[in-house]
């Protein structure tokens, strides 16, 4: 690795709370070099079965990238071929780290941190890391002394509904109506105690308590996602990461997906399910952004 090791950012979620926006912002930042793979899934794949499932997905993606490279070469798109070469090499390096010897996490550290342009910051932005047990979180933040951890929190109801819509898009069969599918998932969650993993990924009280228990205070930032789109919010996160703030080109969320209306009969129960999260964050993190206040007041 380079002598002056970069700061390593682990953005551990929350799911559907702005991690893709932050990745794109840092990707375009002159002080940072982001891996071509946003979510490395290293720290949550120590179980062999989970690792094999993840590497199978990555190998499928690797084949897609190689097919895209053939098309780009045939079309004479040299710039695209060069970009795809970088992405292919990054994916191959990550697969080597995931499938190789994990003693001391050396292979992963080299893949993430050994960058020829000597950036100030690199990042692994895998929301699933928020579900890691204390022992694995401790190992993760011990990768280097220059580790920072960011946990983005978005209005609980907005985050829940966005996560549900993502699930609906992924699970929808050709004959199913997207809007109905999304509301059915919410119905099952509220009435049949199903799809509870969606709630777990946005359990702010439990996750923040765990992070504060494990991560040193000066290495942890809990950030309202709504503030990322403001000058003050960008400045705050950049100051924490030790990089110069630059204006954000993208002012809105990415990967938000098509808008779907939550059924009126389900909304009060969904909001009630999350009321504890609103109250806990207000007491333990800070004043709620306006969007949080508005959704909380609607009930």
């Amino acid at each position: 690795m380079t002598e002056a090791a970069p700061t390593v950012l682990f953005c551990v979620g929350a799911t559907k709370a702005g991690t893709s926006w932050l990745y794109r912002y840092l990707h375009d930042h002159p002080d940072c070099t982001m891996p071509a793979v946003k979510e490395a899934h290293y720290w949550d794949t120590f179980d062999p079965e989970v690792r094999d499932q993840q590497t199978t997905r990555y190998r499928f993606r690797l084949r897609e990238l190689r097919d895209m490279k053939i098309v780009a070469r045939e079309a004479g798109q040299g710039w695209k071929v060069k970009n795809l070469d970088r992405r292919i090499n990054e994916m191959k390096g990550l697969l080597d780290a995931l499938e190789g010897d994990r003693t001391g996490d050396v292979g992963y550290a080299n893949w993430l941190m050994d960058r020829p342009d000597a950036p100030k910051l690199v990042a692994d932005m895998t929301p699933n890391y928020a579900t890691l047990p204390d022992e694995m979180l401790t190992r993760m933040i011990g990768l280097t002394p220059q580790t920072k951890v960011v946990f983005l929190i978005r209005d609980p109801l907005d985050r829940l509904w966005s996560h549900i819509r993502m699930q609906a898009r992924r699970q929808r069969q050709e004959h199913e109506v997207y809007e109905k599918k999304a509301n059915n998932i919410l119905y099952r969650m509220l009435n049949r105690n199903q799809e509870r993993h969606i709630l777990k990924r946005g359990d702010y009280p439990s996750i923040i308590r765990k992070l504060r228990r494990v991560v040193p205070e000066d290495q942890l930032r809990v950030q309202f996602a709504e503030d990322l789109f403001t000058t003050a919010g960008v400045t705050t996160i950049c100051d924490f990461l030790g990089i110069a703030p630059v204006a954000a080109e993208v002012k809105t969320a990415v990967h938000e997906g098509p808008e779907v209306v939550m059924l009126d009969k389900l909304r009060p129960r969904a909001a009630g399910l999350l009321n504890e999260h609103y109250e806990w964050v207000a007491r333990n993190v800070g004043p709620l952004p306006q969007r949080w206040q508005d959704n909380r007041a609607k009930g």
Side-chain angles (χ1 to χ4, degrees):
M1 291 184 292
T2 56
E3 293 184 6
T7 296
V8 174
L9 163 65
F10 293 110
C11 184
V12 300
T15 302
K16 305 305 294 182
T19 61
S20 292
W21 186 95
L22 183 57
Y23 172 83
R24 291 192 180 185
Y25 175 78
L26 295 175
H27 183 278
D28 295 337
H29 195 291
D31 290 341
C32 309
T33 298
M34 293 295 104
V37 186
K38 170 180 172 274
E39 300 182 20
H41 285 286
Y42 177 82
W43 302 100
D44 58 343
T45 57
F46 275 71
D47 177 88
E49 183 176 349
V50 176
R51 179 202 61 206
D52 290 346
Q53 292 172 353
Q54 185 62 47
T55 54
T56 296
R57 286 192 286 267
Y58 280 157
R59 289 197 179 282
F60 179 79
R61 181 57 178 160
L62 186 58
R63 289 195 297 271
E64 289 183 325
L65 292 172
R66 285 169 170 158
D67 289 342
M68 292 167 61
K69 178 182 172 181
I70 292 172
V71 173
R73 182 186 293 123
E74 291 175 348
Q77 297 174 316
W79 62 271
K80 193 169 185 178
V81 170
K82 184 177 179 179
N83 177 265
L84 285 165
D85 273 334
R86 181 180 71 88
R87 294 168 65 184
I88 288 168
N89 289 332
E90 289 258 8
M91 184 66 79
K92 289 167 60 180
L94 177 57
L95 281 164
D96 288 343
L98 294 177
E99 296 176 329
D101 182 4
R102 297 199 182 192
T103 303
D105 308 306
V106 175
Y108 168 78
N110 286 333
W111 172 81
L112 180 63
M113 300 170 63
D114 193 4
R115 303 283 162 173
D117 49 351
K120 290 184 178 180
L121 183 133
V122 296
D124 177 354
M125 311 186 71
T126 306
N128 199 48
Y129 292 166
T131 67
L132 293 174
D134 289 19
E135 297 78 10
M136 190 57 70
L137 275 174
T138 300
R139 179 170 171 172
M140 183 180 81
I141 63 174
L143 183 71
T144 170
Q146 295 81 36
T147 295
K148 297 292 180 78
V149 177
V150 167
F151 183 57
L152 300 176
I153 55 174
R154 178 185 179 185
D155 172 80
L157 192 61
D158 286 345
R159 193 217 70 82
L160 176 70
W161 189 230
S162 182
H163 197 159
I164 287 173
R165 293 185 351 247
M166 179 179 70
Q167 287 292 105
R169 291 196 303 275
R170 290 177 174 177
Q171 298 174 1
R172 185 174 71 88
Q173 302 297 311
E174 194 170 315
H175 66 280
E176 293 180 305
V177 178
Y178 173 43
E179 183 171 1
K180 184 176 181 181
K181 179 78 172 181
N183 278 287
N184 282 344
I185 291 174
L186 179 57
Y187 176 88
R188 293 197 302 270
M189 179 185 296
L190 296 172
N191 294 284
R192 300 178 185 173
N193 205 34
Q194 297 176 359
E195 313 276 1
R196 302 297 286 190
H197 68 281
I198 296 176
L199 285 172
K200 182 180 179 182
R201 298 291 285 273
D203 186 352
Y204 300 153
S206 294
I207 294 171
I208 294 171
R209 281 195 293 261
K210 176 174 62 175
L211 292 174
R212 287 176 172 173
R213 184 170 65 242
V214 175
V215 184
E217 184 177 0
D218 63 343
Q219 293 176 250
L220 174 65
R221 174 73 187 173
V222 177
Q223 174 76 40
F224 287 108
E226 290 81 2
D227 291 342
L228 283 178
F229 309 122
T230 68
T231 300
V234 166
T235 300
T236 297
I237 200 74
C238 287
D239 287 346
F240 171 72
L241 296 175
I243 58 178
V246 297
E249 293 185 9
V250 181
K251 300 296 184 182
T252 57
V254 298
H255 300 325
E256 183 60 18
E259 185 56 51
V260 174
V261 176
M262 184 187 299
L263 292 178
D264 289 340
K265 65 181 180 180
L266 298 178
R267 183 184 177 94
R269 291 186 58 198
L273 192 66
L274 300 167
N275 188 56
E276 176 189 352
H277 294 188
Y278 286 99
E279 293 180 355
W280 190 93
V281 171
R283 292 194 309 268
N284 294 280
V285 178
L288 301 181
Q290 191 61 49
R291 178 65 180 180
W292 291 53
Q293 297 178 44
D294 292 344
N295 270 347
R296 189 184 186 190
K298 289 179 185 177

